[in-house]
Amino acid sequence: MKKIILMITLILSFSVFALELSDAKQQGLVGERVDGLLGVVETSLEVKELVNSINAQRLAVYKQIAEKNAMTIDQVSVLAGEKAIKKTPKGQYIQNAAGQWVIK
């Protein structure tokens, strides 16, 4: 379980897009979804590309974690989503259980 938490922590702190992602979150353009992926709150081509790129990286890591721990990708994604939402600072968007965007 500690391995899973460590891997999820690593994926949620990708440095490749750290500045852009941080800016996008602060501007309310993207938010954390309950399934451990990023979601687009305000649509633009640049935001979609950022979200798609980060989500592809996250899914690749979720797959590795799932395989190493005899879990499904969905199980890993849900754990990652819970952790990401908890880590999200107040004032930024998160997805609620009903799939709506709300400000934390």
Side-chain angles (χ1 to χ4, degrees):
M1 189 60 151
K2 288 183 181 181
K3 274 187 179 179
I4 295 170
I5 293 171
L6 176 61
M7 292 296 286
I8 291 171
T9 301
L10 290 174
I11 193 161
L12 293 175
S13 60
F14 282 127
S15 60
V16 176
F17 293 106
L19 183 60
E20 292 90 352
L21 177 57
S22 175
D23 289 345
K25 284 183 172 186
Q26 289 176 358
Q27 294 172 26
L29 304 174
V30 301
E32 291 291 346
R33 296 183 351 196
V34 294
D35 63 359
L37 299 175
L38 284 178
V40 175
V41 178
E42 293 291 330
T43 305
S44 78
L45 181 58
E46 186 177 17
V47 170
K48 284 183 182 179
E49 289 175 355
L50 175 67
V51 167
N52 289 340
S53 178
I54 291 175
N55 283 346
Q57 293 175 48
R58 287 184 178 188
L59 285 171
V61 174
Y62 295 168
K63 182 179 178 184
Q64 291 174 351
I65 294 170
E67 289 171 356
K68 289 181 182 178
N69 294 283
M71 298 172 70
T72 66
I73 293 175
D74 288 340
Q75 290 171 317
V76 174
S77 295
V78 168
L79 291 172
E82 290 171 3
K83 186 161 185 74
I85 287 171
K86 284 180 185 175
K87 279 181 61 175
T88 299
K90 289 184 179 184
Q92 293 184 4
Y93 281 94
I94 58 171
Q95 187 182 50
N96 65 18
Q100 299 167 320
W101 290 113
V102 295
I103 297 175
K104 183 174 177 183

